[in-house]
Amino acid sequence: MDKTYQLEICANSVLSALTAQEGGADRVELCQNLDVGGTTPSLGQVWLTRAGLSIGVHVLIRPRAGDFLYTDTEFLEMKSDVMFCKEAKCDGVVIGMLLADGQVDSLRMAELIELARPMQVTFHRAFDRCRDPFEALEAIINLGCDRLLTSGLKNSAMEGVETIAQLIKQANGRIEVMPGSGISEQNITQIAELTGATSFHSSAKIEQRSGMDYVGGEVGGMGDTVWVSAKEKIRQMADMLKNR
């Protein structure tokens, strides 16, 4: 019997992606720099992850931190990254672009989606900075995106459950609406109940201390800790969803 629920893990390294698979995730969203909301991973990271995983590999296409209003040069970079992901036989890409007025940048999104096919396309949390979520949802559906990742325009999915539930009702099966941001083993079943969602996005991250014996100098922000996905957290969420 097919699983009713899907668990996507936001993996910021090859190690985290492998951990996600071992923990029972259905797919990974591969990225770097989680501390700024994620950016496009390196080419080596994409190749090694694709080679090492049998579950779905979706790659974040976000050239920089900050807003989602991109220059022509940044757009060319995004197109190049999409083409590379297709060459690497990834299963999907995760993208999002807005206009200066807060509407979805449908024109340039359409170019990226056409370039990406036959890969799946997820519209990411740029959605959470749009001016009208219900108008934006229709634009994203009309573009043909397979999935929408959202926290319901709040800092966490738990805070945004009411809006997420409204979006799922409006979508009516035309697109998968996937809650993300702050989802953990402590709240995933509650969010499922409150929203009606069947697909969930979590980083399941923990801090890992540096293995360095020698720590010299007084420069901060280098060599202290890194974020990694925790297999125990992933396994617990996967089991919770499986047993619903």
Side-chain angles (χ1 to χ4, degrees), residues 137-162:
L137 176 63
E138 293 302 324
I140 292 166
I141 290 171
N142 289 336
L143 282 165
C145 290
D146 302 283
R147 186 174 297 106
L148 167 64
L149 171 62
T150 179
S151 61
L153 280 68
K154 300 292 186 180
N155 287 323
S156 71
M158 181 58 76
E159 294 175 80
V161 288
E162 183 177 336

Side-chain angles (χ1 to χ4, degrees), residues 188-204:
I188 192 168
T189 55
Q190 184 180 7
I191 290 172
E193 291 168 1
L194 291 172
T195 64
T198 57
S199 186
F200 304 88
H201 174 96
S202 173
S203 63

Side-chain angles (χ1 to χ4, degrees), residues 11-58:
N12 66 339
S13 66
V14 179
L15 175 61
S16 288
L18 291 169
T19 299
Q21 178 167 270
E22 292 169 4
D26 297 285
R27 62 179 174 265
V28 299
E29 181 205 89
L30 191 64
C31 68
Q32 289 179 328
N33 301 311
L34 280 176
D35 55 325
V36 293
T39 57
T40 304
S42 72
L43 304 187
Q45 186 174 330
V46 174
W47 275 118
L48 288 172
T49 300
R50 178 67 285 175
L53 266 61
S54 58
I55 62 174
V57 176
H58 293 207

Side-chain angles (χ1 to χ4, degrees), residues 7-178:
L7 177 62
E8 175 181 282
I9 296 299
C10 181
N12 66 339
S13 66
V14 179
L15 175 61
S16 288
L18 291 169
T19 299
Q21 178 167 270
E22 292 169 4
D26 297 285
R27 62 179 174 265
V28 299
E29 181 205 89
L30 191 64
C31 68
Q32 289 179 328
N33 301 311
L34 280 176
D35 55 325
V36 293
T39 57
T40 304
S42 72
L43 304 187
Q45 186 174 330
V46 174
W47 275 118
L48 288 172
T49 300
R50 178 67 285 175
L53 266 61
S54 58
I55 62 174
V57 176
H58 293 207
V59 179
L60 178 63
I61 306 298
R62 187 185 180 210
R64 57 163 173 78
D67 64 30
F68 305 99
L69 178 67
Y70 295 114
T71 65
D72 290 341
T73 300
E74 288 169 336
F75 181 53
L76 287 174
E77 181 180 345
M78 295 170 78
K79 291 169 74 173
S80 296
D81 285 334
V82 168
M83 287 190 289
F84 175 80
C85 291
K86 185 157 62 172
E87 180 183 348
K89 301 189 184 306
C90 295
D91 300 285
V93 288
V94 183
I95 54 182
M97 302 182 72
L98 299 178
L99 299 172
D101 64 0
Q103 294 188 83
V104 172
D105 187 347
S106 293
L107 187 62
R108 293 200 291 181
M109 277 294 303
E111 285 191 55
L112 291 177
I113 292 167
E114 182 178 4
L115 194 63
R117 297 304 187 195
M119 293 188 294
Q120 292 186 18
V121 176
T122 299
F123 194 100
H124 62 47
R125 290 188 62 212
F127 179 86
D128 292 320
R129 299 300 299 269
C130 71
R131 71 177 189 183
D132 183 332
F134 305 107
E135 175 185 79
L137 176 63
E138 293 302 324
I140 292 166
I141 290 171
N142 289 336
L143 282 165
C145 290
D146 302 283
R147 186 174 297 106
L148 167 64
L149 171 62
T150 179
S151 61
L153 280 68
K154 300 292 186 180
N155 287 323
S156 71
M158 181 58 76
E159 294 175 80
V161 288
E162 183 177 336
T163 298
I164 294 170
Q166 291 174 332
L167 290 167
I168 290 172
K169 183 177 180 180
Q170 179 179 330
N172 194 29
R174 294 176 293 161
I175 190 173
E176 180 181 88
V177 178
M178 178 172 61

Side-chain angles (χ1 to χ4, degrees), residues 182-217:
I183 292 181
S184 70
E185 66 276 17
Q186 276 80 40
N187 60 25
I188 192 168
T189 55
Q190 184 180 7
I191 290 172
E193 291 168 1
L194 291 172
T195 64
T198 57
S199 186
F200 304 88
H201 174 96
S202 173
S203 63
K205 65 182 186 293
I206 57 172
E207 277 191 328
Q208 183 178 71
R209 297 293 302 176
S210 170
M212 290 290 295
D213 294 322
Y214 170 76
V215 180

